[in-house]
Amino acid sequence: MEKPTDPTTVIMNRLQEREREQILILSVCKALSEAETKEEFHSVINGVLKEHLSFEDFIFASSDESETAYDIFYQFTAPKRQEHQIYSTADGFFDACINNADTVVFDLKSLTERKNNLPNYLHSVHDKGFKNGIGICLPYSKGNRNVLFLLFKNAAVFTRESNRMVRGIAVQLSITFRNLKMAEQYESNLAELIRLKSNPELKKAPEKEAEPSGFYGIVGKSDAMQQVHELVQQVAASSSTVLIFGETGTGKELIASAIHDLSLVSNEKIVKVNCASIPENLIESELFGHEKGAFTGATDVRIGKFERASDGTIFLDEIGELPLELQAKLLRVLQEKEIERIGGKNTIKVNARVIAATNRSLEKEVAEGRFRSDLYYRLNVFPIALPALRDRPEDIEILARFFLEKHSQKNGKKIKGFSKKVLNSMMAYSWPGNVRELENMIERGILFAKEEMIKEMSFPEIFKTASTATETDFYTKTLQEVEKEHILKVIKKCGGRISGPQGAAVLLGLPGTTLISKMQKLGIKKEHFLG
């Protein structure tokens, strides 16, 4: 039968085809929304989806956004598989899809060479002779990153119409997955409750609760952190731009995530960009994207971070590292809410809430001509200053115990606590690397610990002998800290002697009793200058 050549007939036929597609997509979405168990979900996949997509395998992979591993929630060729296995998100499959807005095509024949490194769920590629596969990043769903893999013996069966159909049901797939996961958790909890009720002797004494993870993952009860929590709650519900500043390692990314989680767009993505880690010649493409052929090597259209974050949040870390020429373009995005891809002719509207962070003094950068004043004022709508760890010493022990439990479990060791000597040393140390340095030292202490308690912890000498080199524009020592530091140096010089002809009191020009009183007031103990 010859195809119609009349333009009107052709257009009408296409419209009718698209209408049939939409009706099909709606019916599939309805069926997915009604699936209450994995068995019902499998029936939908095995029915209308298998009929129209003609796949050999249908794999649904999912990862929590804060994790570096993912698991397989469902696989068509093994729907009743019970074992739970996790895979690295950087395995060349999951990450390739998560970082790409387009459909990713895999040549499965070329994977034969790396068979030993393949995830278990892809071994069927070799066993069943599948030749092609595709991966599609599904819409973000309340903390979950989801990827759909489809495998084929003949890639030609996956047409443009197939791609439109998958895109059309993508949102419902993510919603159904979340509903099924919640239902599974509910059934598991209910079964455990019934088991305990019917077997009272199985009830165990409640285990000691872990140290709470604090305010949206931010650990600390000091007044300084309570003020930060209040600021986060004040600004979260608005769409205002936020500038977070503080020293390296104070938790700026955690604060940005907390603002997003409390915002009105918490169900959308938060896209994180470290401006310092991207080469200068690539950062414009990373932020705003580029068109195919825009420059040498631009073989495909690239969607930039601002487009990905549209209707959600974009976090620009280390904003002070942004080159001057890019600062003008960022200012336009903030003011006009639109971007232009490199090589593009059209403007693209974006509506992303901007949170920026820096460990530099942007006022100083502006004064020295390295940062645009207009951009600084545009970013600094709602500033949040994060205190250094040395400015909230009451949080040091809380954080230390939190990290001890976290990394003890991670490394499979049973470490119960710290010796008094280690705790005192942690309280006396200035922590130039802040919370990040504390966490790293706790993990190192766990690895070296030979008993159930950390009794030794070595602190970097470079920071002990040259503490002034660690100061930043965000920190100026108090008179008490200067006095404490000076007294400690003198006592150490005197070999730990306080009074007497060769004691520290003589060098300091103080009576011995006065020096001892000052030491008590400043929290100087024998452990700080002996041994």
Side-chain angles (χ1 to χ4, degrees):
M1 182 177 178
E2 294 185 1
K3 292 184 178 180
T5 57
D6 178 56
T8 303
T9 304
V10 171
I11 291 172
M12 289 300 297
N13 287 344
R14 286 180 180 174
L15 288 173
Q16 289 172 357
E17 287 174 6
R18 289 299 174 88
E19 187 177 0
R20 285 193 292 271
E21 278 183 23
Q22 290 302 312
I23 292 173
L24 176 60
I25 288 171
L26 288 172
S27 67
V28 173
C29 287
K30 181 176 183 295
L32 287 170
S33 69
E34 294 173 347
E36 297 180 354
T37 64
K38 251 188 182 178
E39 290 73 20
E40 293 176 359
F41 181 73
H42 178 71
S43 296
V44 178
I45 306 302
N46 191 35
V48 65
L49 284 179
K50 183 76 168 69
E51 177 186 347
H52 287 88
L53 297 178
S54 302
F55 53 77
E56 305 300 329
D57 207 352
F58 179 109
I59 301 169
F60 193 104
S62 179
S63 167
D64 186 274
E65 66 174 348
S66 62
E67 299 295 333
T68 57
Y70 70 97
D71 63 6
I72 303 302
F73 172 72
Y74 169 84
Q75 184 168 8
F76 176 74
T77 54
K80 295 184 179 180
R81 180 181 291 164
Q82 296 298 320
E83 67 270 19
H84 179 76
Q85 189 167 356
I86 62 174
Y87 308 92
S88 169
T89 54
D91 63 357
F93 299 98
F94 193 87
D95 55 342
C97 301
I98 283 294
N99 297 322
N100 201 317
D102 300 321
T103 300
V104 178
V105 179
F106 298 104
D107 180 4
L108 301 182
K109 290 185 291 184
S110 67
L111 300 179
T112 307
E113 300 174 1
R114 55 174 285 189
K115 182 175 180 180
N116 292 335
N117 296 321
L118 285 180
N120 290 346
Y121 64 88
L122 284 178
H123 283 175
S124 59
V125 168
H126 304 275
D127 301 336
K128 299 184 180 179
F130 301 163
K131 295 180 180 179
N132 303 95
I134 65 161
I136 299 173
C137 177
L138 299 177
Y140 177 86
S141 175
K142 290 190 177 180
N144 291 109
R145 300 173 297 177
N146 304 320
V147 170
L148 173 63
F149 294 109
L150 297 177
L151 306 183
F152 304 92
K153 287 184 178 178
N154 178 10
V157 301
F158 190 77
T159 61
R160 290 182 180 179
E161 290 77 11
S162 303
N163 192 39
R164 288 199 297 269
M165 181 177 180
V166 172
R167 297 293 182 184
I169 66 172
V171 172
Q172 185 59 56
L173 268 175
S174 290
I175 293 172
T176 299
F177 155 75
R178 180 173 174 78
N179 291 342
L180 292 178
K181 287 281 284 186
M182 291 174 66
E184 282 188 348
Q185 186 62 50
Y186 171 78
E187 292 295 334
S188 174
N189 293 342
L190 183 61
E192 179 66 11
L193 181 62
I194 294 172
R195 186 179 75 91
L196 291 174
K197 280 187 174 181
S198 59
N199 299 278
E201 67 277 7
L202 293 178
K203 292 182 180 180
K204 297 179 181 179
E207 297 180 1
K208 183 181 177 182
E209 289 187 5
E211 186 71 37
S213 57
F215 176 80
Y216 285 82
I218 305 161
V219 179
K221 298 179 180 178
S222 62
D223 290 343
M225 288 310 296
Q226 293 302 319
Q227 291 174 10
V228 171
H229 299 168
E230 288 178 14
L231 290 173
V232 168
Q233 290 174 308
Q234 283 176 11
V235 77
S238 73
S239 59
S240 297
T241 302
V242 180
L243 178 62
I244 307 167
F245 58 92
E247 295 178 16
T248 296
T250 47
K252 295 185 286 293
E253 187 174 332
L254 273 177
I255 295 296
S257 295
I259 293 171
H260 173 76
D261 291 340
L262 284 166
S263 72
L264 300 177
V265 294
S266 59
N267 60 328
E268 302 290 345
K269 281 185 179 180
I270 176 171
V271 176
K272 300 174 181 178
V273 185
N274 188 315
C275 299
S277 67
I278 306 170
E280 193 170 319
N281 61 327
L282 296 179
I283 193 164
E284 183 175 2
S285 173
E286 188 74 14
L287 290 177
F288 308 127
H290 63 247
E291 298 289 352
K292 182 177 181 181
F295 50 82
T296 303
T299 56
D300 292 297
V301 174
R302 180 184 181 87
I303 306 299
K305 299 293 188 184
F306 267 94
E307 278 187 81
R308 290 181 186 276
S310 195
D311 296 325
T313 303
I314 185 166
F315 174 52
L316 302 175
D317 199 5
E318 306 293 358
I319 191 71
E321 304 289 340
L322 201 64
L324 272 169
E325 56 270 23
L326 259 295
Q327 292 176 23
K329 295 187 178 182
L330 176 59
L331 181 64
R332 179 193 171 188
V333 175
L334 295 175
Q335 291 176 337
E336 307 297 333
K337 298 290 185 182
E338 60 185 27
I339 63 164
E340 283 184 14
R341 295 179 191 153
I342 299 176
K345 297 179 181 178
N346 301 320
T347 58
I348 301 170
K349 288 289 184 182
V350 291
N351 183 32
R353 201 263 183 86
V354 176
I355 302 174
T358 182
N359 62 0
R360 295 187 177 190
S361 169
L362 290 188
E363 294 95 333
K364 183 178 177 182
E365 296 295 301
V366 169
E368 296 179 1
R370 291 189 293 269
F371 203 86
R372 293 177 62 108
S373 60
D374 48 3
L375 177 58
Y376 168 65
Y377 294 126
R378 188 64 186 81
L379 289 170
N380 198 36
V381 175
F382 193 94
I384 297 179
L386 298 191
L389 185 55
R390 61 183 163 271
D391 293 333
R392 49 181 184 120
E394 58 266 57
D395 288 337
I396 291 175
E397 185 173 348
I398 296 172
L399 284 161
R401 296 193 185 281
F402 172 76
F403 292 134
L404 181 71
E405 181 172 345
K406 173 183 174 182
H407 290 291
S408 293
Q409 292 176 353
K410 175 183 171 183
N411 291 287
K413 298 186 76 173
K414 295 181 179 179
I415 309 296
K416 295 181 178 179
F418 306 91
S419 69
K420 193 170 183 180
K421 175 185 173 183
V422 169
L423 282 173
N424 288 335
S425 297
M426 285 194 292
M427 294 298 291
Y429 185 52
S430 61
W431 298 110
N434 293 293
V435 179
R436 185 182 294 122
E437 183 187 14
L438 173 62
E439 181 174 7
N440 291 342
M441 290 188 70
I442 298 297
E443 185 172 10
R444 189 185 309 133
I446 291 169
L447 294 173
F448 282 103
K450 296 178 182 178
E451 302 178 41
E452 291 187 339
M453 183 171 286
I454 296 178
K455 296 183 176 180
E456 297 291 337
M457 186 173 286
S458 59
F459 295 86
E461 289 295 330
I462 183 172
F463 295 119
K464 289 181 180 178
T465 59
S467 60
T468 55
T470 66
E471 294 179 30
T472 72
D473 295 303
F474 299 108
Y475 175 61
T476 302
K477 291 182 180 177
T478 64
L479 285 173
Q480 277 192 333
E481 287 174 313
V482 173
E483 187 178 24
K484 179 179 179 179
E485 195 173 276
H486 180 58
I487 291 173
L488 274 172
K489 284 181 181 178
V490 174
I491 295 175
K492 287 178 181 178
K493 185 177 180 179
C494 295
R497 288 184 291 273
I498 306 299
S499 55
Q502 296 179 329
V506 174
L507 287 179
L508 291 167
L510 296 170
T513 53
T514 303
L515 177 56
I516 291 171
S517 176
K518 276 186 173 289
M519 289 169 61
Q520 290 173 345
K521 184 178 179 181
L522 294 169
I524 298 175
K525 300 178 182 178
K526 286 184 179 180
E527 301 97 290
H528 298 158
F529 54 83
L530 292 180

